[in-house]
Amino acid sequence: MSQTRAYAAHAPDQPLAPYRFERRRPRPDDVAIEILYCGVCHSDLHFARDDWGMSRYPVVPGHEIVGRVTAVGEQVTRFKAGDLVGVGCMVDSCRDCRPCRDGVEQFCLEGFTMTYGSDDRQDGSFTQGGYSDNIVVSEPFVLRMPEGIDLASAAPILCAGITTYSPLKHYGVKAGHKVGVIGMGGLGHMGVKLAKALGAEVTVFTRSEAKVEEARSHSADHVVVSSDPAQMEAVAETFDFMLDTVPVQHDLNPYLAALKYDGTHILVGLLDPIEPAINAFNLVFKRRVLAGSLIGGVAETQELLDFCAEHDIRCDIEMLDIHDINEAFERMQKGDVRYRFVIDMASLKAA
């Protein structure tokens, strides 16, 4: 067993605080990892505060993990001590159902095992995440960091990156397509970079005039202020795809009207009921599709890491010491981060 230092949420109304627990001894197929960096996802905040009503405590958040291998089990063949690796939102699945065999473990029929907040499939222990100094993960769920990738900014690629890349790839976005990205936050700015790298013409939709220049600085071809009816009218029936990264309830109808016939509106941020209601006319009369997407499988996440290394795509980050995590949560709640926090886990030694 490995003694692990971490920061954990102990109750929904309490700040994260130092915590010690024991990681399991590596199994034959396990990879033991020293954590170097861990991204801070909005899901971490939701889980810490039990916003989804499924949290158990104490819980160590963090599912955007980059680290160095320290040891491997006897059955491990792809990794060795010293290798740079990543761990995303999943650490296991049933590995046998149709989705798992198809490489989309996030849709495992038994439910994938989350990096934190789940019961381990083999021993029933409670999984704890990356706001810690080490983690032990089964080899099939460990990712290789490609040569030349920036390790710190690669951490959010394991969640924010794959959340936007997977639907772009699945729906076949390519050169010549017109893609609208709704929202210019952690997900949105990655959506812009990835859609551009795939060859699409990209337009950012934002309600804030203040983000117009910001979107353009991230290589958006066009920017539409969605609160301006005239600007929305001007782009009616223009887009092949809408990548909707907004995590709160918002009116989808104006964006559906901006799609061409056979256009697809993809939800990656919203987990709540859709309000106001969708006018089915916007779908039926133009054969439009309203879809959703959830992270990506292990192989697709590795493909994304390699793609980002090849195209020098980085998530815009603000580095963080672990002892500032509660301040970071408050800032994230207010949208005061451009665009993702990443914890330098070396700071845990001084915490």
Side-chain angles (χ1 to χ4, degrees):
M1 304 287 281
S2 173
Q3 187 69 209
T4 299
R5 300 180 65 184
Y7 262 58
H10 294 264
D13 57 350
Q14 295 179 14
L16 271 65
Y19 177 59
R20 288 180 181 265
F21 67 101
E22 288 189 337
R23 294 283 187 193
R24 69 173 182 260
R25 185 183 304 277
R27 300 165 184 152
D29 71 338
D30 272 342
V31 178
I33 302 163
E34 173 195 7
I35 299 176
L36 304 176
Y37 302 102
C38 185
V40 180
C41 178
H42 216 281
S43 299
D44 300 344
L45 174 62
H46 286 307
F47 211 93
R49 295 183 176 175
D50 198 23
D51 290 338
W52 296 328
M54 58 186 286
S55 301
R56 289 178 283 164
Y57 300 94
V59 60
V60 178
H63 57 206
E64 300 175 351
I65 299 165
V66 172
R68 181 180 289 107
V69 176
T70 57
V72 298
E74 60 192 33
Q75 295 176 5
V76 173
T77 60
R78 296 189 299 116
F79 301 103
K80 64 183 184 305
D83 286 350
L84 295 170
V85 296
V87 178
C89 303
M90 302 179 288
V91 292
D92 207 351
S93 69
C94 83
R95 312 191 195 188
D96 190 50
C97 68
R98 175 67 180 272
C100 287
R101 293 196 304 270
D102 286 347
V104 285
E105 299 92 344
Q106 71 272 30
F107 303 130
C108 176
L109 296 181
E110 295 183 7
F112 67 84
T113 302
M114 298 186 297
T115 304
Y116 64 86
S118 280
D119 293 321
D120 182 88
R121 277 180 150 76
Q122 295 193 41
D123 62 19
S125 61
F126 189 57
T127 60
Q128 302 284 17
Y131 294 9
S132 57
D133 59 14
N134 73 86
I135 193 167
V136 179
V137 180
S138 180
E139 180 184 24
F141 290 83
V142 178
L143 298 148
R144 171 185 50 80
M145 286 291 120
E147 186 176 350
I149 200 166
D150 180 73
L151 296 179
S153 62
I157 290 172
L158 300 169
C159 180
I162 191 59
T163 295
T164 49
Y165 181 78
S166 184
L168 294 174
K169 287 289 294 199
H170 177 75
Y171 289 101
V173 171
K174 60 183 183 297
H177 280 148
K178 293 185 177 182
V179 175
V181 176
I182 307 170
M184 190 60 189
L187 293 176
H189 93 288
M190 286 301 297
V192 172
K193 294 182 180 187
L194 293 168
K196 286 283 292 182
L198 290 167
E201 180 181 329
V202 180
T203 298
V204 169
F205 286 79
T206 177
R207 295 188 60 81
S208 171
E209 288 275 3
K211 288 198 174 183
V212 171
E213 289 306 317
E214 188 175 322
R216 287 179 176 149
S217 72
H218 281 80
S219 302
D221 296 292
H222 313 283
V223 185
V224 172
V225 179
S226 57
S227 55
D228 183 341
Q231 291 190 41
M232 292 298 290
E233 178 63 27
V235 296
E237 299 190 46
T238 298
F239 296 91
D240 300 287
F241 300 96
M242 285 285 182
L243 184 66
D244 190 336
T245 71
V246 177
V248 296
Q249 289 173 334
H250 55 289
D251 190 355
L252 304 188
N253 291 290
Y255 303 107
L256 289 170
L259 288 170
K260 299 174 181 176
Y261 74 91
D262 282 343
T264 303
H265 185 122
I266 309 160
L267 298 172
V268 297
L270 184 65
L271 295 178
D272 298 314
I274 296 172
E275 292 183 8
I278 292 173
N279 185 341
F281 180 96
N282 282 326
L283 299 175
V284 174
F285 272 70
K286 295 293 179 179
R287 202 166 59 187
R288 295 171 177 134
V289 174
L290 177 61
S293 185
L294 174 70
I295 55 174
V298 177
E300 190 173 49
T301 305
Q302 185 65 63
E303 175 187 309
L304 170 60
L305 288 168
D306 295 340
F307 182 83
C308 288
E310 178 185 354
H311 294 272
D312 194 26
I313 296 172
R314 304 183 182 198
C315 185
D316 291 16
I317 64 170
E318 181 177 335
M319 291 297 293
L320 179 72
D321 284 354
I322 189 65
H323 58 267
D324 294 326
I325 186 60
N326 292 300
E327 178 186 347
F329 269 23
E330 294 300 324
R331 287 181 54 193
M332 189 164 56
Q333 184 76 52
K334 299 173 184 176
D336 179 24
V337 55
R338 295 292 183 271
Y339 287 95
R340 302 286 279 208
F341 288 117
V342 173
I343 306 168
D344 181 350
M345 296 311 303
S347 64
L348 185 59
K349 298 174 183 177

